[in-house]
Structures are given as structure tokens and as C-alpha cells.
Amino acid sequence: MTPRAADRARYDRATAHLDAPVAIVDLEAFDANADDLVRRAAGKPIRVASKSVRCRALLERVLARPGFAGIMSFTLAESLWLARAGFEDVLLAYPSADRTAFAELTSDPKLAAAVTVMVDDPAQLDLVDAARERQDLEVRVCLELDTSLQLFGGRVRVGARRSPLRTPSQLAGLARSVARRPGFRLVGLMAYEGHVAGVGDAVAGRPVRSRAIRLMQSAARKELAARRAEVVRAVRAVAPDLEFVNGGGTGSVQHTAAEAAVTEIAAGSGLYVPRLFDNYTSFSGRPAALFAQPVVRRPGVGVVTVLGGGYPASGAPGTDRLPVPYLPEGLGYDGQEGAGEVQTPLLGSAADDLLIGDKVWFRHAKAGELCERFEELQLVEGDRVTATVPTYRGEGRTFL
């Protein structure tokens, strides 16, 4: 029996009493992935990206482990909800235009002390002030640095279009604006190198493309390390009490941790290890989050149909955004149908061994987005479900 076949047998036994669709997290794999992230961070604390987990119980589990500290959230409403739930260090990773949430933030000393908001434009400070409930409460502010690699005078750009702030002078200028403005305190700097952390460099069957990605990422790491150090020096000249400099992502943990200017690492997807994180030379993880769909039809030889399963991930549309049939091994999509809203045909010799009602296990393309489809996660240890915990959706929270 292969290791994957053994996992399938365990998951089937653990969930035999549960009807599919069902979602699980294998706690042994989850904890092993957490240990690997800590190893790669080499002593620097890891701030957990909540969008990649979207389950309070699992956020609490990982934050109880040595090497993890703080949450990186994805909306201001989520940040406030987590702070009210007892999470004391929440960094909002994206600028917000939620005036209602800003009013809540600036009306409660506990929330103002726990939540740090992201800023890359003075207009965002204006938005906070327009919604402000109390003038005496300081809003904690983090600035974001654009990490993209720009070549040929900026005519070629590699990386996400995020912050407009790129140079030390631009960051220092906004830092001075924050410092001069009553009611705000600059506490952090963030730079997410998604073109390094979120792009696999070992694409199956694409050796030329893989080598090109590795060359690009090597150049991007060198350029960013030098520029980030200059930016940090410029910002610390304005705000010498800066509390943190955040960088990284699951795919670049060890590289970012090696930079002296960085004080903490962001990561989250590496806990679940979705399919987009299979193609890396620098690390490997264990798939921890899976979902199962039931076989409901057997249309012919080498074909079964499962209920639903059309759970595409965000990003540029493509087959890499679809969940991947994982267990049993040897199943794939019908190219004319793909993953369907209500039914999904699956092709392969393994189909002939599946009966009506059997489970087919899938891995989502991305991490936390799976939790937008399920209200509960079954936590599996060995071949037993040892706990059932709500996702954000299960707690009635769908922030985006």
C-alpha cells in the first residue's frame, strides 16, 4: 500500500460515519507543517496569515506553538472580530475603506491596542479620521512596501500590483506624514514578495519555465533584500521605535528570514499545503486540508460522477485554480466538463473500483478558500475524528 493509499484508508475510516461533502484537517500533517515553517524561519517569529486558515480553533492551535506570534488578517471587520475573541496582535494586511469598522476601531481602547491597519496613501489616513469616534485613541499603522521586480526602467514588472510605495524616500515621506498626524502611531513595515513566496519554481513537465522562474526569483530576492534594508533604515530614521518589519510568505520563509532587516515572517498556506504549493524546490509539505465528494453515478467504464466539487480558487483563471482529485490516485477531470457546480465526472482506471456512496478526496488549489465552502472541519488524528470545529463560515462570518 502506498503512503497515499494508506492516508485514503485512514480518512475513509475516520469519516465513515459522516456523509460527504465533508472537509477534514489531518492534525499530524498540520503540526508537521507548522514545525517545518518554524525550522525554515530560523528563530524569527511567524505571523499567521488568517486568510489561509479561516478557522479560529486552528489559529489558536498554531499560535499556541513555539515560533508563532500574531495574526495577519485580511479585512478590518475580521480583525475586529478576532480582537474581540481574544487575539491580541492582529495586523491587517490590506488597506480598508470600511468606515463602520474604523468607527468601531476608534471607539474601543482594546481594539485600538490590538489591531494594526495597513496604509500606503495619506488618503487612507483621511478615511480613518473621517470615521473616528474618539480623538484620544491612537490608531496603530503599518506601511506597505511594493516588492515587485522592475526591469528595463520599469517597462517590465514581475509581481503583484499592491502598494504604490517603492523607494526609501517614498516610505520615509509617508512615515513623516503619519508621525506628524495626531491620533496615529507608526509601528510596522510590511513587504510581501508574492512573486517569490507564491510562485512554484519546479513546474511539472516544464523544465525551461522552471529554470526561468528560479532565475527570476534569485534576481528578485537580491534586489528586494538590498532595497528593503534601505527602506527600513529610512523609515527607522523617522520612527526609531518601529515594532516590526514583516516579510515573506510560505514559499520564501527561509530566504526572507535570512535578511537582517526583517524581524518577523508571514505564512499561512504552508499549514494546509494546498496544491499550488507542490511545485517548490526549497521545501515540501504534507497535504493537511482535504475535502471529499460522494460518488453518485457510474456512467460507464473508467468514469464516476461525484456531487459538486466546482470550487475554483481566486487568481488568474486556469486549470491550476481547480481542486485536484487526490484520493484514490489516478483520477482526473473530463476536459470538456472540468469541476462542476452540481456534478463532476472523473476519469481513470481507479473509477472502476469506486461504488455509489464512496468518497473521492480532493485538495483545493489554495488554502483558506476551502473554508468558504464548508461550515465545519473534521479534525483527524490517525483514523479517528477527534474534534469538529467551525470555519469562519460556520460561525456566520464571510468577510469577503
Side-chain angles (χ1 to χ4, degrees):
M1 182 179 291
T2 67
R4 278 174 59 175
D7 283 341
R8 180 195 175 201
R10 286 197 301 114
Y11 300 151
D12 282 348
R13 286 196 299 271
T15 62
H17 62 295
L18 298 170
D19 289 330
V22 63
I24 67 167
V25 170
D26 184 330
L27 290 181
E28 181 180 331
F30 181 90
D31 291 344
N33 293 334
D35 287 340
D36 189 60
L37 288 170
V38 170
R39 177 189 62 79
R40 291 197 288 137
K44 292 188 176 177
I46 298 172
R47 185 180 292 273
V48 183
S50 63
K51 79 178 184 67
S52 300
V53 179
R54 301 193 204 202
C55 171
R56 279 202 299 160
L58 291 175
L59 288 172
E60 290 168 352
R61 182 184 183 92
V62 72
L63 285 170
R65 302 176 69 87
F68 291 87
I71 286 177
M72 178 176 281
S73 58
F74 60 97
T75 75
L76 184 54
E78 179 213 13
S79 305
L80 301 181
W81 178 63
L82 290 173
R84 289 194 181 96
F87 295 94
E88 297 179 348
D89 180 6
V90 183
L91 168 63
L92 175 58
Y94 309 88
S96 177
D98 189 337
R99 290 172 291 184
T100 300
F102 278 132
E104 294 178 30
L105 176 69
T106 57
S107 67
D108 187 326
K110 177 186 173 183
L111 297 180
V115 175
T116 301
V117 302
M118 191 63 62
V119 171
D120 59 30
D121 189 309
Q124 294 154 353
L125 301 175
D126 296 338
L127 197 65
V128 177
D129 274 336
R132 186 182 289 276
E133 291 288 318
R134 286 178 53 173
Q135 301 300 318
D136 61 321
L137 286 186
E138 278 191 329
V139 174
R140 293 168 53 85
V141 170
C142 178
L143 307 184
E144 181 171 3
L145 165 68
D146 170 46
T147 66
S148 64
L149 176 63
Q150 297 189 11
L151 306 170
F152 307 109
R155 292 190 296 276
V156 175
R157 174 193 180 102
V158 181
R161 298 181 182 275
R162 291 177 62 116
S163 172
L165 306 175
R166 180 170 181 82
T167 66
S169 62
Q170 289 174 325
L171 273 293
L174 186 53
R176 284 189 289 270
S177 295
V178 174
R180 289 193 298 262
R181 195 151 180 165
F184 296 92
R185 179 159 60 94
L186 179 57
V187 299
L189 179 68
M190 187 193 85
Y192 170 61
E193 52 268 36
H195 50 302
V196 178
V199 178
D201 63 351
V203 184
R206 304 284 296 276
V208 175
R209 177 175 173 79
S210 298
R211 177 168 172 75
I213 290 172
R214 287 194 289 273
L215 290 172
M216 176 276 292
Q217 291 180 338
S218 177
R221 288 196 300 266
K222 292 175 183 176
E223 185 278 333
L224 178 59
R227 183 159 53 90
R228 180 154 40 197
E230 293 175 3
V231 165
V232 171
R233 283 194 294 269
V235 172
R236 286 196 184 278
V238 178
D241 296 329
L242 206 66
E243 295 176 13
F244 63 86
V245 176
N246 181 282
T250 288
S252 66
V253 169
Q254 66 273 29
H255 302 296
T256 309
E259 295 183 33
V262 174
T263 67
E264 64 174 39
I265 308 299
S269 295
L271 296 168
Y272 287 171
V273 187
R275 66 169 294 193
L276 286 179
F277 286 85
D278 285 347
N279 302 319
Y280 286 78
T281 57
S282 60
F283 79 101
S284 62
R286 294 173 54 182
L290 301 96
F291 68 93
Q293 302 294 118
V295 174
V296 292
R297 286 177 171 167
R298 290 171 49 87
V301 175
V303 186
V304 292
T305 301
V306 299
L307 183 72
Y311 304 158
S314 59
T319 56
D320 66 335
R321 301 289 139 169
L322 296 178
V324 61
Y326 185 61
L327 301 171
E329 300 176 65
L331 293 174
Y333 292 118
D334 181 331
Q336 297 185 49
E337 295 196 48
E341 177 188 10
V342 179
Q343 68 170 33
T344 298
L346 297 172
L347 313 180
S349 59
D352 295 330
D353 295 324
L354 291 169
L355 304 176
I356 300 294
D358 284 351
K359 294 181 175 78
V360 173
W361 295 91
F362 293 76
R363 293 170 64 202
H364 204 275
K366 297 184 77 172
E369 291 183 21
L370 166 65
C371 294
E372 298 298 335
R373 299 287 184 166
F374 291 88
E375 295 185 352
E376 296 177 338
L377 296 174
Q378 309 297 326
L379 305 186
V380 173
E381 297 183 73
D383 60 359
R384 296 186 305 117
V385 170
T386 56
T388 300
V389 295
T391 61
Y392 279 13
R393 172 178 168 171
E395 295 197 67
R397 305 288 176 169
T398 51
F399 295 105
L400 282 177

